[in-house]
Every structure is written in structure tokens, then in C-alpha cells.
Amino acid sequence: MADRPLLLVDAPSLYFRAYFGIPESAARTADGQPVNAVRGFLDMLAQLVRTRRPDRMVCAFDYDWRPRWRVDLLPSYKAHRVAEAGGEVVPDTLSPQVPMVTEVLTALGICAVGADGYEADDVLGTLATTQPSPVEVVSGDRDLFQLVDDARRVRLLYVGRGVAKLDDCDDAAVRARYGVPAAAYADFAALRGDPSDGLPGVSGVGEKTAARLLDRYGDLDGILAALDDAGSGFAPGLRAKLVAARGYLAVAPTVVRVARDVPLPELATALPAEPADPDRLMELAQLWNLAGSCRRLVDALTDAAR
């Protein structure tokens, strides 16, 4: 049998998608509390286990959605998503569902982990770098294209079109999509910018120009070094824009790059064949009207263990 993968799940990416994909009216507890994000998240996990057949799984969570060390480098980082009272702008009916997700995962025995001072992306990056391969990272976050590594057998299962229509991405797929290898994606994103993360990018530099620059000069350091060479071939307007953005480009790649050295405890990554605490799982399933979703996920886990 071929090696079965470690499935690394970007939990916030999936539960946000579930929250906005399932109407609150379609998933509520007996007392009216919405559980659409929890139900959708569990159903996504069930489908992933059925279709990818991993033998290990970790769900990564944001313990810090906007780490201070990133903000210190680039104050605009996710600034537009800060609530007036502080913290992240999150729908009022989603916030209470996140602890519910982790409680169900604990009862199931599926590893859930985060790290103080780091985002879920950083946890995923560290595990993708340090855990035995093959590894499949599940996320709708484009920044995680940088984790793709053919040599280490790390792929991104991109959920831009949903879990039912995963884009299974190796390095060739990243090149086809953006014109750069996965290893260059962080530099590419810094040049292009990303409004959803508060990254301004370089004025006038879009995806095609960013890819062309990286193809010619290799990486961002090569681009910046070439700016000092009068014969390097930059059009005057582009040179001026890059020179004006030097300060930003000095820090942006560090902000964009996923950390690979997050301190994590020893993790029990093995996919459970049965719930770790079946009584607690049954209690939660009844309390939160999740019986169908819990049963589908348990069935998928049992089948995967065969």
C-alpha cells in the first residue's frame, strides 16, 4: 500500500467557509444557538478522511490571528480586520462555535493544536516541515502555496472551490497558477500584495510583473540588488516604484513567510479508529444537534482504519 498522508487542516479556513456556506437557520441547537460552522466543519473533515484516506491528522488553530512580531514589522498587517474593541472582526454567532469545534475534536481524539504568538499557518508550516511525509495541507489560504515541496512530498489541497472540488497542488500546479515555483511564492506575494491581509504590495506591480521579475532575478534579494545596477534593464517607471517600496520590501517577506520553527509539544497525530471519549461525543452531539455530522465523521474514521 502506498504511504498514507498526514492531513494538516487549516481549521479557521474551514470553519469560516462552513459558517458562510451553511445558513444559520439550517443548523441550530434545540435552544436556537447556531451550529452551522461546527456542522459544516465536521462534514468537511468526514469528506476529507473518506477521499484522502490519511493515517494521521492535525487540525491547526489560530492562538494569535495577528501576531505582534508581524505587526511590528508591518503595521498594516490585517489592520482592517481589527475590531473597535480590539481582537479580530468575527461574526457574533461564529465566535461561540470555535470552542465547540475543539471540544468535539477532543472527544473524537483528533489532534487539535495552536501556539501562543503564532497563526494556524505557522503551525501548519512547522508540521509540514518537521513531520514525516507525505503531507497534505488543507486550506483556502493562498499563502500556504509556499509550503508545497515536491522533494518532501508536501502538497496543498486548496479549497478555493470547496472541499468537494479540491485543487491538489504540487509545484507544477503552483507554477501554472502564478508563474513562479512554490519556493518563490512568499516573495511573489510581497511584490503583488494582498489586500485581505493588509499587504500593500508594490504600486503598479501585479501578478504578471511580479512573476516576470522573479523569473529574471531569482528572488526578491536578487531584484533589490539589481536595482543598484544601472545596466540591469529595469524600465525607469518600474525601477522608481521598486526603489520607493524598498522599506516595505525589506520587511514584507518576513511577514508573508510562514514560520517553520514554532515550538510545539509532542503530538498524537495518529488518526483515531474510534472516538477517544464516545460518551462525551454522544453528549455533545445531542446537546448541539450534531448527531448526523458526528456519525458521518466517526464512520469515515472507522473506514479509514481498515
Side-chain angles (χ1 to χ4, degrees), residues 6-13 58-61 113 119-131 135-139 141 144 147 154 156 258-260 262 264:
L6 164 64
L7 202 65
L8 297 179
V9 178
D10 182 351
S13 179
V58 178
C59 293
F61 287 80
V113 65
E119 300 174 55
D121 288 6
D122 302 312
V123 175
L124 295 168
T126 297
L127 293 172
T129 303
T130 60
Q131 292 292 306
V135 174
E136 295 182 346
V137 182
V138 184
S139 179
D141 186 340
L144 294 181
L147 298 184
V154 178
L156 177 67
V258 170
R260 308 290 189 119
V262 175
L264 296 173

Side-chain angles (χ1 to χ4, degrees), residues 6 34 51 65 91 115 191 234 266 300-301:
L6 164 64
T51 58
W65 68 279
L191 286 163
F234 287 104
E266 287 292 321
L301 295 172

Side-chain angles (χ1 to χ4, degrees), residues 202-238:
V202 178
S203 176
V205 174
E207 291 191 351
K208 291 183 178 179
T209 301
R212 186 170 66 249
L213 287 169
L214 290 167
D215 181 62
R216 180 167 184 175
Y217 299 103
D219 57 21
L220 188 53
D221 287 341
I223 294 169
L224 294 174
L227 284 177
D228 299 322
D229 179 0
S232 56
F234 287 104
L238 179 57

Side-chain angles (χ1 to χ4, degrees), residues 9 47 77 102 108 110 167 174 194 197 261 273 285 295 306:
V9 178
Q47 182 161 356
Y77 183 65
T102 58
L108 285 162
I110 293 174
D167 289 325
V174 180
D194 187 346
D197 279 343
D261 57 354
R295 182 176 61 252
R306 292 174 181 155

